[in-house]
Amino acid sequence: MIDEKLMSLSFSVEANKGVYALLLGSGISYSAGIPTGWGVLKELCRRIMLLNGADDQDEIKWYEEKFGKAPLYDEVIGMLARTSSERNGLLKEFFEPTEEDLVHNRKLPTVAHRAIAELVKQGYIKVVVTTNFDRLLEQALDGLNVQYQTLYHDSDIEGMKPLAHADCTVLKIHGDYRDTRFKNITDELESYSEPLTDILEKIFDEYGLIISGWSAEWDTALRDTIKSVKGRRYSWYWHAFSTEINEKARELVNFRDASIIIDSEGADHFFNSLLENVESINKVKRVNPESLQVKIKSLQKYLLNQQDMEISQLIGHETKNILDYFNNINYHQHVSKEIVRQYVEELNEKVKPLSVLLFLLSYDVKTNKQEQLIIETIERLTSFKHDGQIRLLNLQQLPLQIILYSIGIALVKSQNYELLNKVFVKPKARDRIHNRLDFMTFSSPYRGLGELFNFLYSPTNFHLPMEEFMNQYLENVLVATQLIFDKIEFEIYYDFFEFIRCIKYRYHGKGGYYPSGRFGFKPYERRHLEQLIQEGKGNENWNLFILTGQKESDFGNALNSLVKDLNENYRFDGQGLLEAYFGKEN
């Protein structure tokens, strides 16, 4: 039985490459026989104690009584080895394998290190923070020819490549055993240097975190740095070996609202499971490009030969696949951003074939039966369930919106505004609770889907998270399948569709159900939209007037209403739209 939280993490890591960082402690190297920094310090104190002719059971307590202070890592090493070469030689035995170690596979990269290196190589992990002195992770990365930067001193941080631009960054907050500029690793260390604090705060604010092998028991400065960051951009996961974690770790878990993943088999099993899950999810979710191309060619052949029955069967099969997917969702499970993102990513792949096929059909529609099939397919995607967590239930609206955008962009591209007008108003909802709503009200993304994307991506990152998602998703789908020439052409048709949808909603007095598209916050990037509007100025036969009952005045009123709404929202701007239609005097 796969742990639900591990599965949630796996889906989130796979869906959001580079979003998660790792925080690794000594537990990650435990199976390699590498001592912790604290273990090294204790052993060195024991040797000093023996050299002084003492034999106390507690070497740390003896050191404190002997020297009147707690042992500091750099001071203890300096007492035993004065030169840089001597210090490296002193520590080498703790971290580098002897011939005997090699025979017993000790002090070598573990399964966990190799799994992490593979996650880095595939682009899922780009930042690793570690309290460890060893170089096992770097050795695992070297083994896969992964480029990375290692930071373990302020001078390294000051000259680093930005995190977002580096293939991988390994931040060793306690230093590297081969370096002589050691940091104290006891609980006496209450603060970090400013450069180290700054980069840690950046990581803790901008990345989700996967914590493993770190107890939080001794690292006062690290705990305080974590608690100084209030942001909650992405979730945190804490891998624990048992249900019992210490009080300080529990405090951080509660502070960050982290999910605890119990894996008693250790870091090796945890990271290997994570890697296997991520790779399996990636393999399962991929739509075979060849399979999609076969469907495209089949539809093109059916359209050419006017084989309406075959077209209906092809479209119906893809529609049923989507509806069957929703029958397998547990709508009563706990809702987190990771779970919702998981479903969104899966739906992206499920809906892609239907999105492409309906774009093709809408662009080249020739018969009344084909028009009716488009309307019927839209109606079939309005069969919603209503029992469960509201955000999971709102996911059911996503295929409908994707299909409306796909059809709409195709009809704008072919300038088939008559059918587009029907698509806005003619479908009837099959939703048993809301089937009395007119379709424009029912199909508004602001009946639930808009809030869902606000939850996922936050208006602080995007003015219109749902529309931003739709733009990026459909650009990838339509440009990749060569149904639209390039990104520039896609942006033009995308903006046209959202503008036309805004006009249609305001003509029916429903502006609040579709406030604006992305064009609304791009006043200096919509010359193409202004040129479209100018076509209607003084042209009583303009084909867009079909949206407003063939009345020029009603189109003007709808445009006035849209511009007013845009100007009243501080993030948006109606500049240039009225002027394009009415002239400069307005």
PDB file of all heavy atoms in Angstrom, residues 531-551:
ATOM      1  N   GLN A 531      -6.962  46.767 -33.788  1.00  0.00           N
ATOM      2  CA  GLN A 531      -7.176  46.669 -35.241  1.00  0.00           C
ATOM      3  C   GLN A 531      -8.427  45.862 -35.551  1.00  0.00           C
ATOM      4  O   GLN A 531      -9.173  46.184 -36.488  1.00  0.00           O
ATOM      5  CB  GLN A 531      -5.954  46.043 -35.905  1.00  0.00           C
ATOM      6  CG  GLN A 531      -4.735  46.957 -35.911  1.00  0.00           C
ATOM      7  CD  GLN A 531      -3.487  46.260 -36.418  1.00  0.00           C
ATOM      8  OE1 GLN A 531      -3.378  45.032 -36.369  1.00  0.00           O
ATOM      9  NE2 GLN A 531      -2.515  47.034 -36.879  1.00  0.00           N
ATOM     10  N   LEU A 532      -8.688  44.806 -34.772  1.00  0.00           N
ATOM     11  CA  LEU A 532      -9.915  44.044 -34.948  1.00  0.00           C
ATOM     12  C   LEU A 532     -11.130  44.921 -34.694  1.00  0.00           C
ATOM     13  O   LEU A 532     -12.098  44.919 -35.483  1.00  0.00           O
ATOM     14  CB  LEU A 532      -9.923  42.843 -33.989  1.00  0.00           C
ATOM     15  CG  LEU A 532     -11.234  42.040 -33.943  1.00  0.00           C
ATOM     16  CD1 LEU A 532     -11.424  41.257 -35.240  1.00  0.00           C
ATOM     17  CD2 LEU A 532     -11.261  41.091 -32.744  1.00  0.00           C
ATOM     18  N   ILE A 533     -11.105  45.700 -33.621  1.00  0.00           N
ATOM     19  CA  ILE A 533     -12.234  46.553 -33.265  1.00  0.00           C
ATOM     20  C   ILE A 533     -12.466  47.625 -34.323  1.00  0.00           C
ATOM     21  O   ILE A 533     -13.612  47.973 -34.655  1.00  0.00           O
ATOM     22  CB  ILE A 533     -11.991  47.187 -31.873  1.00  0.00           C
ATOM     23  CG1 ILE A 533     -11.929  46.092 -30.803  1.00  0.00           C
ATOM     24  CG2 ILE A 533     -13.092  48.186 -31.534  1.00  0.00           C
ATOM     25  CD1 ILE A 533     -11.450  46.578 -29.448  1.00  0.00           C
ATOM     26  N   GLN A 534     -11.380  48.156 -34.876  1.00  0.00           N
ATOM     27  CA  GLN A 534     -11.489  49.205 -35.892  1.00  0.00           C
ATOM     28  C   GLN A 534     -12.248  48.729 -37.131  1.00  0.00           C
ATOM     29  O   GLN A 534     -12.861  49.530 -37.841  1.00  0.00           O
ATOM     30  CB  GLN A 534     -10.097  49.692 -36.283  1.00  0.00           C
ATOM     31  CG  GLN A 534      -9.449  50.586 -35.242  1.00  0.00           C
ATOM     32  CD  GLN A 534      -7.995  50.898 -35.540  1.00  0.00           C
ATOM     33  OE1 GLN A 534      -7.382  50.282 -36.416  1.00  0.00           O
ATOM     34  NE2 GLN A 534      -7.432  51.858 -34.809  1.00  0.00           N
ATOM     35  N   GLU A 535     -12.227  47.425 -37.402  1.00  0.00           N
ATOM     36  CA  GLU A 535     -12.955  46.891 -38.555  1.00  0.00           C
ATOM     37  C   GLU A 535     -14.455  47.147 -38.440  1.00  0.00           C
ATOM     38  O   GLU A 535     -15.163  47.221 -39.457  1.00  0.00           O
ATOM     39  CB  GLU A 535     -12.700  45.396 -38.691  1.00  0.00           C
ATOM     40  CG  GLU A 535     -11.271  45.019 -39.042  1.00  0.00           C
ATOM     41  CD  GLU A 535     -11.073  43.511 -39.076  1.00  0.00           C
ATOM     42  OE1 GLU A 535     -12.087  42.786 -39.032  1.00  0.00           O
ATOM     43  OE2 GLU A 535      -9.909  43.059 -39.120  1.00  0.00           O
ATOM     44  N   GLY A 536     -14.959  47.256 -37.218  1.00  0.00           N
ATOM     45  CA  GLY A 536     -16.393  47.447 -37.030  1.00  0.00           C
ATOM     46  C   GLY A 536     -16.843  48.890 -37.067  1.00  0.00           C
ATOM     47  O   GLY A 536     -18.051  49.166 -37.144  1.00  0.00           O
ATOM     48  N   LYS A 537     -15.888  49.816 -37.004  1.00  0.00           N
ATOM     49  CA  LYS A 537     -16.243  51.238 -36.955  1.00  0.00           C
ATOM     50  C   LYS A 537     -16.889  51.663 -38.276  1.00  0.00           C
ATOM     51  O   LYS A 537     -16.263  51.634 -39.330  1.00  0.00           O
ATOM     52  CB  LYS A 537     -14.996  52.073 -36.671  1.00  0.00           C
ATOM     53  CG  LYS A 537     -15.270  53.559 -36.502  1.00  0.00           C
ATOM     54  CD  LYS A 537     -14.066  54.303 -35.945  1.00  0.00           C
ATOM     55  CE  LYS A 537     -12.846  54.124 -36.828  1.00  0.00           C
ATOM     56  NZ  LYS A 537     -11.696  54.919 -36.333  1.00  0.00           N
ATOM     57  N   GLY A 538     -18.165  52.033 -38.201  1.00  0.00           N
ATOM     58  CA  GLY A 538     -18.887  52.495 -39.385  1.00  0.00           C
ATOM     59  C   GLY A 538     -19.228  51.408 -40.375  1.00  0.00           C
ATOM     60  O   GLY A 538     -19.663  51.698 -41.495  1.00  0.00           O
ATOM     61  N   ASN A 539     -19.052  50.132 -40.008  1.00  0.00           N
ATOM     62  CA  ASN A 539     -19.324  49.017 -40.912  1.00  0.00           C
ATOM     63  C   ASN A 539     -20.517  48.226 -40.395  1.00  0.00           C
ATOM     64  O   ASN A 539     -20.388  47.356 -39.540  1.00  0.00           O
ATOM     65  CB  ASN A 539     -18.087  48.125 -41.030  1.00  0.00           C
ATOM     66  CG  ASN A 539     -18.311  46.924 -41.936  1.00  0.00           C
ATOM     67  OD1 ASN A 539     -19.341  46.806 -42.592  1.00  0.00           O
ATOM     68  ND2 ASN A 539     -17.341  46.014 -41.955  1.00  0.00           N
ATOM     69  N   GLU A 540     -21.703  48.537 -40.918  1.00  0.00           N
ATOM     70  CA  GLU A 540     -22.922  47.925 -40.386  1.00  0.00           C
ATOM     71  C   GLU A 540     -23.016  46.432 -40.696  1.00  0.00           C
ATOM     72  O   GLU A 540     -23.831  45.723 -40.101  1.00  0.00           O
ATOM     73  CB  GLU A 540     -24.147  48.649 -40.943  1.00  0.00           C
ATOM     74  CG  GLU A 540     -24.281  48.554 -42.456  1.00  0.00           C
ATOM     75  CD  GLU A 540     -25.486  49.318 -42.975  1.00  0.00           C
ATOM     76  OE1 GLU A 540     -26.069  50.111 -42.217  1.00  0.00           O
ATOM     77  OE2 GLU A 540     -25.841  49.108 -44.137  1.00  0.00           O
ATOM     78  N   ASN A 541     -22.172  45.937 -41.605  1.00  0.00           N
ATOM     79  CA  ASN A 541     -22.191  44.514 -41.963  1.00  0.00           C
ATOM     80  C   ASN A 541     -21.061  43.727 -41.286  1.00  0.00           C
ATOM     81  O   ASN A 541     -20.766  42.590 -41.667  1.00  0.00           O
ATOM     82  CB  ASN A 541     -22.063  44.366 -43.487  1.00  0.00           C
ATOM     83  CG  ASN A 541     -23.244  44.958 -44.217  1.00  0.00           C
ATOM     84  OD1 ASN A 541     -24.394  44.774 -43.821  1.00  0.00           O
ATOM     85  ND2 ASN A 541     -22.968  45.709 -45.293  1.00  0.00           N
ATOM     86  N   TRP A 542     -20.442  44.318 -40.293  1.00  0.00           N
ATOM     87  CA  TRP A 542     -19.310  43.663 -39.618  1.00  0.00           C
ATOM     88  C   TRP A 542     -19.775  42.337 -39.031  1.00  0.00           C
ATOM     89  O   TRP A 542     -20.814  42.258 -38.344  1.00  0.00           O
ATOM     90  CB  TRP A 542     -18.773  44.581 -38.524  1.00  0.00           C
ATOM     91  CG  TRP A 542     -17.463  44.149 -37.926  1.00  0.00           C
ATOM     92  CD1 TRP A 542     -16.452  43.510 -38.546  1.00  0.00           C
ATOM     93  CD2 TRP A 542     -17.039  44.353 -36.575  1.00  0.00           C
ATOM     94  NE1 TRP A 542     -15.406  43.296 -37.697  1.00  0.00           N
ATOM     95  CE2 TRP A 542     -15.748  43.818 -36.457  1.00  0.00           C
ATOM     96  CE3 TRP A 542     -17.623  44.953 -35.468  1.00  0.00           C
ATOM     97  CZ2 TRP A 542     -15.025  43.839 -35.267  1.00  0.00           C
ATOM     98  CZ3 TRP A 542     -16.907  44.988 -34.284  1.00  0.00           C
ATOM     99  CH2 TRP A 542     -15.611  44.437 -34.175  1.00  0.00           C
ATOM    100  N   ASN A 543     -19.027  41.273 -39.274  1.00  0.00           N
ATOM    101  CA  ASN A 543     -19.487  39.935 -38.876  1.00  0.00           C
ATOM    102  C   ASN A 543     -19.541  39.730 -37.367  1.00  0.00           C
ATOM    103  O   ASN A 543     -20.224  38.838 -36.885  1.00  0.00           O
ATOM    104  CB  ASN A 543     -18.633  38.842 -39.527  1.00  0.00           C
ATOM    105  CG  ASN A 543     -17.148  39.076 -39.361  1.00  0.00           C
ATOM    106  OD1 ASN A 543     -16.733  39.919 -38.563  1.00  0.00           O
ATOM    107  ND2 ASN A 543     -16.336  38.338 -40.128  1.00  0.00           N
ATOM    108  N   LEU A 544     -18.831  40.546 -36.580  1.00  0.00           N
ATOM    109  CA  LEU A 544     -18.887  40.398 -35.120  1.00  0.00           C
ATOM    110  C   LEU A 544     -20.199  40.897 -34.519  1.00  0.00           C
ATOM    111  O   LEU A 544     -20.511  40.587 -33.372  1.00  0.00           O
ATOM    112  CB  LEU A 544     -17.722  41.127 -34.461  1.00  0.00           C
ATOM    113  CG  LEU A 544     -16.407  40.351 -34.321  1.00  0.00           C
ATOM    114  CD1 LEU A 544     -15.356  41.189 -33.623  1.00  0.00           C
ATOM    115  CD2 LEU A 544     -16.618  39.061 -33.563  1.00  0.00           C
ATOM    116  N   PHE A 545     -20.985  41.649 -35.278  1.00  0.00           N
ATOM    117  CA  PHE A 545     -22.247  42.161 -34.744  1.00  0.00           C
ATOM    118  C   PHE A 545     -23.253  41.040 -34.479  1.00  0.00           C
ATOM    119  O   PHE A 545     -24.242  41.246 -33.786  1.00  0.00           O
ATOM    120  CB  PHE A 545     -22.862  43.193 -35.699  1.00  0.00           C
ATOM    121  CG  PHE A 545     -22.129  44.507 -35.712  1.00  0.00           C
ATOM    122  CD1 PHE A 545     -22.067  45.269 -36.870  1.00  0.00           C
ATOM    123  CD2 PHE A 545     -21.511  44.999 -34.569  1.00  0.00           C
ATOM    124  CE1 PHE A 545     -21.401  46.488 -36.897  1.00  0.00           C
ATOM    125  CE2 PHE A 545     -20.836  46.212 -34.584  1.00  0.00           C
ATOM    126  CZ  PHE A 545     -20.772  46.957 -35.761  1.00  0.00           C
ATOM    127  N   ILE A 546     -22.979  39.850 -35.009  1.00  0.00           N
ATOM    128  CA  ILE A 546     -23.872  38.729 -34.733  1.00  0.00           C
ATOM    129  C   ILE A 546     -23.917  38.418 -33.237  1.00  0.00           C
ATOM    130  O   ILE A 546     -24.902  37.892 -32.713  1.00  0.00           O
ATOM    131  CB  ILE A 546     -23.449  37.479 -35.532  1.00  0.00           C
ATOM    132  CG1 ILE A 546     -24.567  36.432 -35.495  1.00  0.00           C
ATOM    133  CG2 ILE A 546     -22.140  36.897 -34.992  1.00  0.00           C
ATOM    134  CD1 ILE A 546     -24.342  35.252 -36.425  1.00  0.00           C
ATOM    135  N   LEU A 547     -22.835  38.786 -32.533  1.00  0.00           N
ATOM    136  CA  LEU A 547     -22.770  38.553 -31.086  1.00  0.00           C
ATOM    137  C   LEU A 547     -23.759  39.427 -30.320  1.00  0.00           C
ATOM    138  O   LEU A 547     -24.148  39.096 -29.198  1.00  0.00           O
ATOM    139  CB  LEU A 547     -21.356  38.816 -30.571  1.00  0.00           C
ATOM    140  CG  LEU A 547     -20.257  37.915 -31.146  1.00  0.00           C
ATOM    141  CD1 LEU A 547     -18.890  38.526 -30.895  1.00  0.00           C
ATOM    142  CD2 LEU A 547     -20.341  36.530 -30.540  1.00  0.00           C
ATOM    143  N   THR A 548     -24.131  40.556 -30.907  1.00  0.00           N
ATOM    144  CA  THR A 548     -25.028  41.502 -30.227  1.00  0.00           C
ATOM    145  C   THR A 548     -26.305  41.716 -31.036  1.00  0.00           C
ATOM    146  O   THR A 548     -26.799  42.839 -31.150  1.00  0.00           O
ATOM    147  CB  THR A 548     -24.313  42.843 -29.994  1.00  0.00           C
ATOM    148  OG1 THR A 548     -23.829  43.355 -31.252  1.00  0.00           O
ATOM    149  CG2 THR A 548     -23.136  42.678 -29.040  1.00  0.00           C
ATOM    150  N   GLY A 549     -26.822  40.638 -31.617  1.00  0.00           N
ATOM    151  CA  GLY A 549     -28.094  40.704 -32.323  1.00  0.00           C
ATOM    152  C   GLY A 549     -28.066  41.578 -33.547  1.00  0.00           C
ATOM    153  O   GLY A 549     -29.099  42.174 -33.911  1.00  0.00           O
ATOM    154  N   GLN A 550     -26.902  41.685 -34.195  1.00  0.00           N
ATOM    155  CA  GLN A 550     -26.692  42.492 -35.397  1.00  0.00           C
ATOM    156  C   GLN A 550     -26.886  43.980 -35.152  1.00  0.00           C
ATOM    157  O   GLN A 550     -27.079  44.753 -36.090  1.00  0.00           O
ATOM    158  CB  GLN A 550     -27.642  42.046 -36.538  1.00  0.00           C
ATOM    159  CG  GLN A 550     -27.445  40.614 -36.994  1.00  0.00           C
ATOM    160  CD  GLN A 550     -26.094  40.369 -37.662  1.00  0.00           C
ATOM    161  OE1 GLN A 550     -25.327  41.288 -37.876  1.00  0.00           O
ATOM    162  NE2 GLN A 550     -25.809  39.108 -37.964  1.00  0.00           N
ATOM    163  N   LYS A 551     -26.797  44.413 -33.900  1.00  0.00           N
ATOM    164  CA  LYS A 551     -26.994  45.829 -33.567  1.00  0.00           C
ATOM    165  C   LYS A 551     -25.655  46.481 -33.233  1.00  0.00           C
ATOM    166  O   LYS A 551     -24.987  46.102 -32.266  1.00  0.00           O
ATOM    167  CB  LYS A 551     -27.952  45.958 -32.386  1.00  0.00           C
ATOM    168  CG  LYS A 551     -29.368  45.488 -32.704  1.00  0.00           C
ATOM    169  CD  LYS A 551     -30.280  45.647 -31.503  1.00  0.00           C
ATOM    170  CE  LYS A 551     -31.690  45.172 -31.824  1.00  0.00           C
ATOM    171  NZ  LYS A 551     -32.586  45.287 -30.641  1.00  0.00           N
TER     172      LYS A 551
END
